[in-house]
Amino acid sequence: MTDSSALTAEDRKIVTLARSARARNQVPEGAAVRDETGRTYVAGTVDLDSLKLSALRTAVAMAVASGATSLEAAAVVTAAETASDEDRAAVRDLGGAGTPVLVAGPDGALRTTVTAG
């Protein structure tokens, strides 16, 4: 387990935003990403008959659609132990291999930080 108190204020913010998206939309996951200018993009899991996206991939897509050219950090609130390979690949595509991905449980407690790479 990773110590949440070691997070910067900006990293705590994206974890909080991800947790809020999960709770507000009553979806399995919530995610938030911060782009190179400090803007944040927040999303929940998309589960339609014709479109299924994890929360983190949706947040990355929202950042790209809004003109972001890089990511500083990403966060996902999930019941899973870590971010999936597909989610990390989406973060890596926009932010690079070293982009941190914060993984928190449904209670918002940070479980681990992995890199996109």
Side-chain angles (χ1 to χ4, degrees), residues 16-116:
T16 299
L17 290 169
R19 184 174 184 221
S20 295
R22 181 181 184 272
R24 179 179 55 254
N25 297 323
Q26 298 180 351
V27 292
E29 295 179 337
V33 298
R34 185 175 62 247
D35 74 8
E36 73 282 0
T37 67
R39 292 179 297 184
T40 55
Y41 306 88
V42 181
T45 308
V46 174
D47 189 11
L48 301 173
D49 290 340
S50 63
L51 179 64
K52 297 190 185 314
L53 291 172
S54 70
L56 193 49
R57 282 179 270 170
T58 303
V60 169
M62 291 173 65
V64 170
S66 297
T69 59
S70 185
L71 294 178
E72 292 181 350
V76 61
V77 173
T78 178
E81 290 301 313
T82 192
S84 72
D85 290 343
E86 295 86 0
D87 283 354
R88 291 175 52 234
V91 172
R92 182 175 57 246
D93 286 348
L94 186 57
T99 306
V101 179
L102 311 168
V103 182
D107 61 356
L110 186 66
R111 287 191 181 137
T112 190
T113 301
V114 296
T115 62

